[in-house]
Amino acid sequence: GVIPPFANPVGGSYGQWGAAWWRWALSIPASTSPLSDETGAFCGEGQSGHVWFLAGNFGGESVRRCRIPQGKAIFFPIATGIAGAGVYDCDPSAPGVPCDVNALRQGLAGVLNTPILLETEVDGRPLQNLSAYRAISPVFSITYPEGNVNGQPAGSYQPQVADGYWIMLAPLSAGAHTIRFKAALDIYGMFVFETELTYFITIDNQ
């Protein structure tokens, strides 16, 4: 049920969906953010269209329960990063540092080129060759609400770029499913970022 990256799933490339995922993840106030959710209570925040996004976290292990309408493709990051104007890399969130898109992309590549660990399982079945699911986004903008997870003033910020390893699943059958994804990244030799998500999903029969 994994849609290959070259298929331009649901009207966009994996890189374009990666940008859409980041726009979604950062558009939600911290108080209801799916990124910091430890139970799945906010799984449905900001969802729309034919693709349902599953959030990662800020590190560590999270277990979430989520109900998803039948017929939705499911898109999530095994490991991802964002760089740009709104995330403390260049103006205005890093005052005086000009935004150089090539430099932003190189900075992300320095972390994501050589992941320590990438794992994904769907209903207990491990997915293979995860390095093939690497995708680099086009340049995009993000719009922060008041009280956002990064503590920035509300408003739009550009440019942003994203990089990562992503999975797009074709719509799952009605009933119970489990999705688990795990990654470890060496952050420029300073520390290892580890993340693990387990989603217990119920696909509602419409």
Side-chain angles (χ1 to χ4, degrees):
V2 180
I3 301 174
F6 57 80
N8 273 10
V10 201
S13 68
Y14 264 49
Q16 288 168 324
W17 281 113
W21 184 94
W22 274 110
R23 285 196 296 268
W24 164 78
L26 297 178
S27 71
I28 300 168
S31 59
T32 55
S33 173
L35 294 170
S36 54
D37 182 7
E38 289 303 321
T39 66
F42 305 127
C43 180
E45 291 291 318
Q47 303 283 0
S48 63
H50 298 293
V51 176
W52 190 279
F53 295 131
L54 296 182
N57 63 15
F58 294 112
E61 184 175 358
S62 300
V63 178
R64 298 168 178 163
R65 297 183 182 275
C66 183
R67 302 189 76 92
I68 299 177
Q70 193 170 18
K72 301 279 189 181
I74 298 174
F75 187 74
F76 58 90
I78 311 168
T80 185
I82 184 173
V87 289
Y88 301 99
D89 295 303
C90 58
D91 273 323
S93 60
V97 180
C99 291
D100 180 326
V101 168
N102 288 334
L104 296 172
R105 293 196 188 281
Q106 289 170 9
L108 289 174
V111 172
L112 289 158
N113 280 349
T114 54
I116 298 168
L117 175 71
L118 297 172
E119 290 182 358
T120 302
E121 291 181 0
V122 179
D123 292 334
R125 293 172 295 181
L127 304 184
Q128 304 298 323
N129 194 26
L130 295 177
S131 61
Y133 294 87
R134 172 92 174 267
I136 298 170
S137 79
V139 176
F140 63 98
S141 65
I142 55 174
T143 301
Y144 282 130
E146 295 288 348
N148 58 80
V149 294
N150 276 335
Q152 288 292 319
S156 295
Y157 295 77
Q158 189 173 347
Q160 253 58 236
V161 293
D163 196 341
Y165 300 86
W166 305 88
I167 295 293
M168 177 81 80
L169 297 177
L172 298 173
S173 60
H177 298 272
T178 302
I179 297 174
R180 185 182 70 86
F181 47 102
K182 182 177 181 179
L185 302 173
D186 181 352
I187 309 300
Y188 308 116
M190 296 184 292
F191 65 95
V192 174
F193 173 80
E194 297 180 276
T195 178
E196 181 173 359
L197 284 294
T198 300
Y199 277 90
F200 294 107
I201 290 172
T202 301
I203 304 295
D204 288 328
N205 190 0
Q206 294 179 326

